[in-house]
Amino acid sequence: MRLTDLQIRKIGSPDRGQKTYFDDMLPGFGIRVSQGGTKSFVVMSGKDRKLKTLGQYPELALKDARTAAKQVQSDITFHLPRSNALPAIGFVEARGRFLADSELRTKPRTIAEYSRLLNRHFSFDGKLQEITRSDIMQVIEKFKNTPAERQHAFVAIRTMMNWCVKHGMLETTPVPRLSFSAQARSRILSDDELRKVWLRASSFGYPYGRILQLLILTGQRRSEIAGLRRKWMREDAIVFPIGFTKNKREHTIPVGNLTRRIIEALPNETEYLFPSRLSDDSPFNGWSRCKRTFDEPLKIAEYTLHDLRRSYSSNMARLGVPIHVTEKLLNHVSGTVSGIAAVYNRYSYMEEMRQAVATYDAHLQKLLDL
């Protein structure tokens, strides 16, 4: 079964002895239930395939147990044989090891992006050592018309191959030293286009449709909205903690009536407002598939989700909101208040942000006939 907190709570005690339920999401990891009702997380370790107990539930949280299980498995995985020759390993296995190790030290949204890029674009069937620079560049050159995706794919495979070198799987990386200069985007959605996206999102439903509506309403980055957690919600604000946002500082934004109405109507079953389809312990990450389906009937010019953020900023300027207030809402580090001024200016501008959000809400209600 796919282990979730709800699923674990539902598991009853066996009539006698013990019974172990393994997790579909992480092979070798599971929960053992005894006749007396005790539930303990276990992980299969070692060549003898013995189960190691990690701790009891609920004292040990499911998320922490998964992390501990991955650590146990990675410690076993990376004990490579000492030899002058590098171990023969397939690309797919190396990719799996890299992603598993990344989960122990990298932000969930970064892991999700690495996983998407590496699994979608790099599907080499042969041995890791047989992959050439030409093989890598054949993949990269497919994205000439999508420079942002090209840049992200290149960074992902370069990071993975450098990791393989550090862990003794490769002598040198086949990824060449390259830099890409991407032209800055300037796309802003018109009122009519914004209306079409909003109406489509209303009918598209949860989770992707609701995510898009919050992107339009708040101007935040897509990863910040997809990663929203209930403990960050306040009655009239959202508080993004230190380390979560792109600039790694706490970010508080006031919420208007439209945003509050959408959040209050969301399912209240998990800590994440928008959990992944595969796990309640990770945020939504089905961007490409959902956007393709979402955009099909729209009949508007090509746009990215980041264009919604740029449109939010432009509409704030159009409504007369001072630029430094908009930048506080967008959590921009380099802007009108930066450098030494930012060091001494610790004013939060919260009241000004509240007024700006109320003005923007009123504008959207009129624009969208809400």
Side-chain angles (χ1 to χ4, degrees):
M1 64 173 64
R2 180 168 70 91
L3 291 182
T4 64
D5 284 300
L6 179 62
Q7 195 75 359
I8 292 173
R9 288 194 293 268
K10 286 182 178 180
I11 298 175
S13 305
D15 295 333
R16 59 182 179 180
Q18 297 174 327
K19 188 169 183 179
T20 302
Y21 299 85
F22 285 101
D23 184 19
D24 290 341
M25 297 297 298
L26 181 60
F29 169 66
I31 191 161
R32 174 181 285 166
V33 185
S34 66
Q35 185 178 356
T38 301
K39 298 176 181 179
S40 302
F41 290 111
V42 294
V43 62
M44 194 169 290
S45 64
K47 294 182 179 179
D48 53 6
R49 311 290 288 173
K50 288 185 178 180
L51 287 177
K52 176 181 178 180
T53 302
L54 300 171
Q56 290 188 1
Y57 179 84
E59 288 78 9
L60 177 61
L62 174 59
K63 181 179 180 180
D64 294 334
R66 273 205 182 97
T67 299
K70 290 170 185 174
Q71 181 66 61
V72 171
Q73 292 176 338
S74 65
D75 285 344
I76 296 162
T77 301
F78 298 136
H79 287 165
L80 301 175
R82 292 184 177 273
S83 171
N84 291 330
L86 291 173
I89 180 173
F91 173 82
V92 174
E93 182 181 350
R95 182 179 62 193
R97 291 186 182 184
F98 165 71
L99 293 173
D101 182 61
S102 296
E103 292 191 21
L104 304 175
R105 53 187 171 78
T106 310
K107 289 182 179 180
R109 68 171 184 241
T110 304
I111 298 165
E113 184 69 354
Y114 281 165
S115 180
R116 179 187 74 82
L117 293 163
L118 293 172
N119 284 294
R120 182 175 182 181
H121 301 316
F122 300 95
S123 302
F124 304 120
D125 295 328
K127 297 298 183 183
L128 185 67
Q129 293 86 349
E130 296 172 354
I131 298 172
T132 65
R133 178 172 297 190
S134 175
D135 295 329
I136 299 293
M137 292 311 300
Q138 283 182 22
V139 176
I140 299 300
E141 289 303 317
K142 293 178 181 178
F143 306 114
K144 286 184 176 180
N145 297 325
T146 52
E149 186 76 354
R150 178 179 63 177
Q151 171 74 15
H152 297 324
F154 177 78
V155 169
I157 192 64
R158 181 184 63 189
T159 304
M160 174 189 157
M161 290 302 189
N162 287 341
W163 179 92
C164 289
V165 172
K166 291 178 181 178
H167 286 78
M169 301 175 193
L170 286 173
E171 288 288 358
T172 59
T173 174
V175 182
R177 289 180 175 273
L178 292 175
S179 62
F180 301 100
S181 57
Q183 183 177 359
R185 290 183 60 88
S186 58
R187 172 89 161 95
I188 297 171
L189 276 69
S190 67
D191 286 352
D192 183 59
E193 290 174 327
L194 204 60
R195 185 186 300 109
K196 287 180 179 179
V197 172
W198 178 276
L199 294 175
R200 172 66 171 152
S202 297
S203 62
F204 201 79
Y206 179 86
Y208 187 77
R210 299 298 169 260
I211 290 175
L212 254 65
Q213 288 179 314
L214 291 181
L215 291 177
I216 292 172
L217 285 166
T218 67
Q220 303 306 296
R221 299 175 178 89
R222 74 175 197 178
S223 59
E224 293 165 355
I225 294 300
L228 282 174
R229 306 185 190 189
R230 300 197 180 278
K231 61 185 177 183
W232 301 347
M233 301 296 113
R234 305 294 184 268
E235 184 178 353
D236 59 352
I238 299 173
V239 180
F240 296 96
I242 295 173
F244 176 77
T245 58
K246 184 177 180 180
N247 56 34
K248 297 180 175 59
R249 67 181 184 184
E250 184 177 277
H251 177 45
T252 300
I253 58 168
V255 296
N257 292 330
L258 292 177
T259 299
R260 188 181 303 109
R261 193 183 309 165
I262 288 175
I263 291 176
E264 289 176 351
L266 296 176
N268 188 11
E269 299 174 355
T270 62
E271 174 59 19
Y272 281 103
L273 269 62
F274 303 106
S276 163
R277 182 174 61 88
L278 299 176
S279 172
D280 294 341
D281 297 325
S282 58
F284 171 86
N285 59 11
W287 299 106
S288 298
R289 177 179 55 82
C290 284
K291 191 172 187 301
R292 283 196 302 272
T293 305
F294 182 91
D295 288 349
E296 283 176 3
L298 277 180
K299 295 182 173 31
I300 67 173
E302 182 183 347
Y303 71 100
T304 69
L305 296 186
H306 199 77
D307 293 337
L308 298 178
R309 178 173 166 89
R310 190 178 300 105
S311 302
Y312 173 92
S313 176
S314 298
N315 278 318
M316 282 294 187
R318 172 183 169 190
L319 295 169
V321 175
I323 184 62
H324 62 274
V325 176
T326 301
E327 288 180 343
K328 289 291 287 186
L329 286 163
L330 295 175
N331 200 21
H332 279 166
V333 174
S334 57
T336 55
V337 182
S338 60
I340 193 66
V343 173
Y344 288 101
N345 185 357
R346 295 302 185 183
Y347 181 58
S348 69
Y349 293 96
M350 185 55 65
E351 187 55 39
E352 290 85 347
M353 286 195 290
R354 291 191 196 284
Q355 293 174 10
V357 167
T359 300
Y360 183 61
D361 256 26
H363 168 72
L364 283 181
Q365 289 185 40
K366 183 179 180 180
L367 174 66
L368 303 171
D369 297 323
L370 298 178

